[in-house]
Amino acid sequence: MTRYSQLDALRGFAVLGLFLMNLPYFGLFEWGYVSKWEPHPLDAWISSFINVFIDGRFRTLFCLLFGCAIALQFEKYGSTVRIQNRNRALIVLGFLHGLFIWAGDILFAYGCAGLLLVRYLEESGEKNLREGFILLVVMSLVLFVATATEPELPFSRDGAKFIEAYESLYSNEGSFILENAKNFFIMLVILPFLTLWYTLALMRIGLGAWQKGWFKNGFPSDVTGLSGILAIMFSALVVMFSLSGNARLQASAEALNWLSALFTSVVYIAVVFWLMKRKSVIAKVLESCGKLALTIYITQSVIGVALFRYFFPEWVMTFDLINYVLLATLVVSLQVITAYVYLKFFKQGPLEWCLTRWLKRKSI
């Protein structure tokens, strides 16, 4: 199977960006980042930056790339047997990751959506793009209705409710295990009603884009230009809703963000393609990380959980957004260096090697 360096670079870009998005959720998963009653002066600016450039963008990009990966495997093997084995392996790995390490796992949902995606491999690129986008809009509307009905009241990190949740979780080690399991099973309950179809929608868009040749030769300029305009429009609405102070609008911002994330991802794809054409060092670095994406992703969870649950639990109470950004920058930099050095000696990451070996045994 031909390895496309641009897909590796995009995958590396996505997995590195995921860490900043996930980092505040490694402590109190169901709360994420909560500011103080008097927020840090930079909070509003960093929050707006995250809403425009980070939140949901890298998860979306991963889904698009997953659709490409399945199309590539189908082109090589001509059947769906190995593809479905890989999807089942991701489901098992995702279940273990979500249950025992971190409830915010994405692999389980990807594996489940991948099982469904094979039905559309022989559909036309136009149909996959069209129906994938329609499904994404429908799921965004479902999320909009669900989040707008019962908005949460504003709360702060130094408020009684947050402190109570923190003290309850950090009272003993067993609390972590039970709380993580509870949150993961909540995610599993939501999956067949929302997450699965949202993920499948993005994968179909990625599949359709691959079939049209966009991931090989670059997205058409008119598609990229329109996506850039729509990304600005939807991101502006997300920022306005998030900073409005209105609990109902703030709760509804995530639905708009799903669409904004797709359009922003298309712009990111164009930027990475531009870096690849220029043979940029940045592109080479991203390509290295992309080859180790699965290992890097799981390692990020281990690092995040270890830091916020075991080594420095007080960070949950003391960190402002600027601290999360600085920590994410440090960890991502270390992962970039490690990936570059590792590939000097090995061709695959540890988890990538295990997955490949298992798939080969299944095919015998």
Side-chain angles (χ1 to χ4, degrees):
M1 181 168 63
T2 303
R3 186 154 199 132
Y4 291 89
S5 56
Q6 66 269 30
L7 297 184
D8 283 329
L10 286 167
R11 197 175 294 112
F13 180 63
V15 75
L16 295 176
L18 272 179
F19 188 63
L20 176 56
M21 185 177 75
N22 292 337
L23 193 55
Y25 296 88
F26 287 124
L28 293 180
F29 175 76
E30 58 186 308
W31 291 75
Y33 177 71
V34 178
S35 65
K36 298 176 183 176
W37 186 254
E38 294 185 3
H40 188 279
L42 293 177
D43 263 18
W45 290 98
I46 297 175
S47 177
S48 297
F49 177 85
I50 290 174
N51 285 332
V52 173
F53 297 105
I54 305 294
D55 190 22
R57 276 63 178 160
F58 302 103
R59 181 178 62 236
T60 297
L61 185 53
F62 250 130
C63 289
L64 298 175
L65 292 169
F66 198 96
C68 291
I70 288 182
L72 270 169
Q73 292 172 62
F74 187 65
E75 288 179 5
K76 177 182 179 180
Y77 300 109
S79 74
T80 61
V81 175
R82 186 181 173 93
I83 295 172
Q84 296 298 58
N85 285 337
R86 183 173 181 270
N87 287 328
R88 295 186 186 99
L90 290 177
I91 289 173
V92 173
L93 179 59
F95 184 83
L96 295 174
H97 174 232
L99 184 62
F100 296 110
I101 301 178
W102 185 57
D105 170 77
I106 58 175
L107 300 176
F108 189 91
Y110 285 13
C112 291
L115 291 176
L116 299 177
L117 186 66
V118 297
R119 301 180 182 182
Y120 308 103
L121 285 170
E122 297 184 356
E123 300 285 0
S124 68
E126 291 82 358
K127 186 174 182 180
N128 278 319
L129 284 169
R130 181 177 64 253
E131 293 185 359
F133 185 73
I134 291 173
L135 181 58
L136 177 63
V137 172
V138 170
M139 289 299 101
S140 298
L141 290 173
V142 171
L143 180 64
F144 183 87
V145 172
T147 54
T149 50
E150 295 184 10
E152 294 181 348
L153 296 175
F155 47 82
S156 64
R157 192 165 75 236
D158 42 9
K161 189 176 180 180
F162 187 89
I163 294 174
E164 180 183 357
Y166 173 82
E167 292 177 346
S168 174
L169 181 62
Y170 285 87
S171 58
N172 60 78
E173 189 172 326
S175 299
F176 285 127
I177 299 172
L178 293 176
E179 185 71 13
N180 189 74
K182 182 199 77 173
N183 287 327
F184 182 59
F185 281 113
I186 290 174
M187 300 290 282
L188 293 182
V189 171
I190 297 172
L191 180 73
F193 299 102
L194 187 67
T195 317
L196 176 64
W197 308 109
Y198 157 72
T199 306
L200 178 62
L202 291 171
M203 287 183 182
R204 285 196 69 181
I205 294 172
L207 172 60
W210 174 264
Q211 292 169 325
K212 297 278 285 184
W214 295 354
F215 276 103
K216 294 180 182 179
N217 308 311
F219 278 51
S221 57
D222 56 339
V223 173
T224 303
L226 179 59
S227 296
I229 294 171
L230 292 173
I232 293 171
M233 292 172 57
F234 277 91
S235 296
L237 287 174
V238 170
V239 171
M240 289 171 58
F241 280 25
S242 299
L243 299 179
S244 66
N246 183 298
R248 191 174 298 276
L249 290 178
Q250 290 173 338
S252 303
E254 181 62 18
L256 293 174
N257 196 51
W258 278 10
L259 297 173
S260 175
L262 173 62
F263 302 131
T264 306
S265 294
V266 174
V267 176
Y268 284 165
I269 291 168
V271 172
V272 172
F273 266 77
W274 179 78
L275 291 172
M276 293 294 295
K277 289 180 180 178
R278 290 175 60 89
K279 301 185 184 301
S280 167
V281 174
I282 296 175
K284 288 294 182 183
V285 168
L286 294 177
E287 188 180 341
S288 298
C289 293
K291 293 177 180 178
L292 305 176
L294 180 60
T295 297
I296 288 176
Y297 172 66
I298 297 297
T299 303
Q300 287 174 349
S301 293
V302 173
I303 292 172
V305 168
L307 288 175
F308 286 92
R309 292 188 181 179
Y310 298 105
F311 293 113
F312 306 103
E314 67 276 9
W315 284 356
V316 175
M317 296 297 298
T318 60
F319 263 31
D320 295 307
L321 280 179
I322 184 62
N323 303 109
Y324 283 109
V325 170
L326 293 174
L327 178 60
T329 302
L330 174 62
V331 173
V332 165
S333 299
L334 291 174
Q335 287 196 308
V336 165
I337 295 170
T338 302
Y340 181 79
V341 174
Y342 180 90
L343 288 174
K344 294 290 185 182
F345 302 95
F346 305 97
K347 293 182 178 180
Q348 286 184 302
L351 291 180
E352 287 80 6
W353 182 84
C354 291
L355 180 59
T356 302
R357 291 282 300 225
W358 184 82
L359 289 173
K360 286 182 178 178
R361 289 185 179 183
K362 288 289 289 185
S363 63
I364 295 175

